[in-house]
Amino acid sequence: MAAFFGDNQFKFGLFGINCAGGMTPSRAPERWRADWDEMVAVAKLVDDAGVEFMLPIAKWHGLGGEADMWGRSFETFTQAGALGALTKRTGLFVTAHVSLITAAFAAKAIATVDHATHGRAGLNIVCGWNPDEFSPHGITLDGGNRYERGLEWFEIYDKLLEGGPKFDWKGRFYDLQGLVTDPLPVQRPRPPVMSAAQSGDGQAFAARAADILFTSLQSLDVARDTVTRFKALAATHGRKPDVYVETQFVCKPTCKEALEYAHYYAVEMADPDALAYFARQKARTMSISTKTGDTAADRQLADTLSGARKQPYPGMFAGMYPVIGSPDDVVEELKKISAIGVAGSTLVFLNYLRELPYFIQEVFPRMERAGLRMKVAA
Ligand SMILES: Cc1cc2nc3c(=O)[nH]c(=O)nc-3n(C[C@H](O)[C@H](O)[C@H](O)COP(=O)(O)O)c2cc1C
């Protein structure tokens, strides 16, 4: 299974509109507030522009600080059902936390979204990183075995979607009886599965379970290494997943304006308390491969969490690659990112509704001329 979402050389996934703050830990007053009507307006914009999919974040706890980023968030399965009814072609991912959502629930819910959208659903499986998100549910997150548990969860989910007769499951983490689901999703053998991870352990999980690995992009060299390693690992399981990376855009008519705006919201207005909390919580559940520095990505992540690696723009997350400049500059950078072998990246802005129209108007036609995207059919 490869090359989801059509033939564009470089695909986009709109990321994080269901949460206040989106993906930007900034105190800037014009930051994203996750107002429902604004969210719908953005969903329609990207749908018309041919953006391949939308990816929400499953969140149960804010980051604190002045802005309390993610303190307000819409639930992702129900949001996808609603946005699916208001859009025509964009893919709609939902995000399931393995320890909060049962495989049987996920199978039924994804089938619901897939039928409602005539085959546009996708599932992002996340194994969790912030213990504070699990305590409201009475669950303790175990960082050490989260991916083993995730793999067993995926195997149950996958078997359910095969659509065979009722079965029981007895494994290391789950002891379940009478598993069966009807209806099956429209997409066969199943809607695309995404796994978002940076660590070597997370990549190993994705190589077994995912059709798409979504990973961070701190530097082009490390990302190139990740793509090569990951694709080779997946091939040993007979699989050919796509790789996507995280990018955040600041695009203005001139490079000077873009740099000034990025400096304003992601340096001057960065939310230090939220960022400190984020790093603290991530460190609490660090993957084993990150502790032992297995891959270049693990070593980079460990350096970021320990503070040894400094961010030029602290008000953008460490794994979020800043693409800053004029429309021409942005396309030049996207060509370099595409050349490392990724299928696409995230569309992230401080304020999606203010910044996307200019981006779509100026960057998309340039990408078409550069062969990265094709014109959208009317
Ligand atoms: C594109 C992307 C989307 C993610 N979405 C979520 C999410 O919705 N909810 C969540 O709790 N974690 C989310 N994560 C976090 C990852 O699932 C994972 O827990 C985190 O990357 C730490 O794992 P690692 O250190 O093993 O890579 C996301 C990460 C990425 C890169």
Side-chain angles (χ1 to χ4, degrees):
M1 268 200 226
F4 290 101
F5 312 121
D7 294 327
N8 281 331
Q9 167 77 20
F10 197 86
K11 303 176 181 63
F12 280 130
L14 178 77
F15 187 26
I17 62 166
N18 66 312
C19 294
M23 286 303 295
T24 312
S26 172
R27 296 172 293 125
E30 68 270 47
R31 65 185 180 270
W32 186 243
R33 305 286 174 157
D35 167 80
W36 182 267
D37 291 338
E38 290 194 351
M39 218 167 63
V40 171
V42 168
K44 288 184 172 171
L45 267 178
V46 298
D47 193 46
D48 289 343
V51 168
E52 280 75 8
F53 60 87
M54 297 193 271
L55 173 63
I57 323 162
K59 280 291 133 220
W60 304 94
H61 196 277
L63 295 183
E66 187 182 314
D68 192 25
M69 176 176 184
W70 297 339
R72 167 190 169 93
S73 72
F74 289 100
E75 192 284 318
T76 70
F77 281 81
T78 43
Q79 184 224 22
L83 293 185
L86 298 167
T87 51
K88 298 179 294 293
R89 55 186 155 199
T90 191
L92 294 137
F93 273 92
V94 299
T95 298
H97 275 118
V98 160
S99 47
L100 302 185
I101 306 249
T102 67
F105 182 94
K108 196 163 271 301
I110 199 96
T112 306
V113 178
D114 210 38
H115 278 261
T117 60
H118 302 287
R120 290 190 278 136
L123 178 70
N124 178 25
I125 302 177
V126 294
C127 296
W129 58 270
N130 183 359
D132 287 350
E133 293 195 83
F134 296 86
S135 27
H137 304 275
I139 286 168
T140 306
L141 177 68
D142 183 345
N145 63 20
R146 60 183 161 177
Y147 288 116
E148 282 107 315
R149 184 190 169 106
L151 193 56
E152 194 176 320
W153 186 101
F154 166 74
E155 285 164 358
I156 301 163
Y157 169 81
D158 196 34
K159 192 166 164 57
L160 272 164
L161 294 192
E162 278 173 18
K166 201 174 271 186
F167 64 97
D168 296 342
W169 183 275
K170 197 163 181 54
R172 181 173 158 207
F173 299 96
Y174 298 98
D175 184 357
L176 310 168
Q177 288 77 45
L179 289 156
V180 70
T181 199
D182 183 14
L184 297 174
V186 176
Q187 296 174 85
R188 304 301 297 148
R190 58 165 189 265
V193 168
M194 170 191 295
S195 170
Q198 180 172 8
S199 70
D201 288 350
Q203 290 172 31
F205 166 75
R208 303 276 300 273
D211 308 305
I212 293 170
L213 168 70
F214 228 119
T215 197
S216 51
L217 176 52
Q218 298 206 39
S219 69
L220 294 178
D221 285 343
V222 171
R224 191 178 296 109
D225 177 77
T226 299
V227 171
T228 312
R229 272 190 76 264
F230 172 71
K231 290 202 170 183
L233 184 60
T236 65
H237 302 293
R239 315 185 76 250
K240 284 170 89 175
D242 285 338
V243 180
Y244 284 71
V245 293
E246 295 182 280
T247 48
Q248 173 146 1
F249 295 95
V250 186
C251 184
K252 297 276 179 191
T254 66
C255 185
K256 183 169 177 288
E257 286 168 89
L259 285 167
E260 281 170 4
Y261 193 51
H263 190 269
Y264 152 70
Y265 84 69
V267 179
E268 289 164 37
M269 299 301 278
D271 198 339
D273 294 339
L275 287 158
Y277 172 79
F278 179 78
R280 217 164 44 237
Q281 297 302 93
K282 288 275 277 191
R284 281 177 68 189
T285 55
M286 199 188 275
S287 286
I288 293 160
S289 62
T290 306
K291 288 185 188 150
T292 48
D294 284 8
T295 65
D298 282 305
R299 293 188 287 278
Q300 197 173 55
L301 177 60
D303 284 351
T304 302
L305 292 178
S306 72
R309 187 184 162 87
K310 293 282 172 246
Q311 290 299 112
Y313 293 99
M316 296 183 195
F317 283 124
M320 190 67 79
Y321 193 72
V323 182
I324 303 170
S326 68
D328 287 330
D329 299 330
V330 165
V331 175
E332 283 310 307
E333 198 61 41
L334 288 174
K335 282 189 206 161
K336 288 186 209 155
I337 296 172
S338 177
I340 64 178
V342 301
S345 75
T346 53
L347 283 177
V348 170
F349 302 89
L350 174 69
N351 184 310
Y352 302 85
L353 192 53
R354 285 189 188 200
E355 296 170 64
L356 252 172
Y358 180 74
F359 189 89
I360 290 169
Q361 182 192 303
E362 298 297 330
V363 174
F364 276 39
R366 286 170 169 81
M367 290 180 77
E368 287 161 21
R369 293 198 285 278
L372 293 174
R373 294 186 67 81
M374 289 177 288
K375 226 179 199 23
V376 184

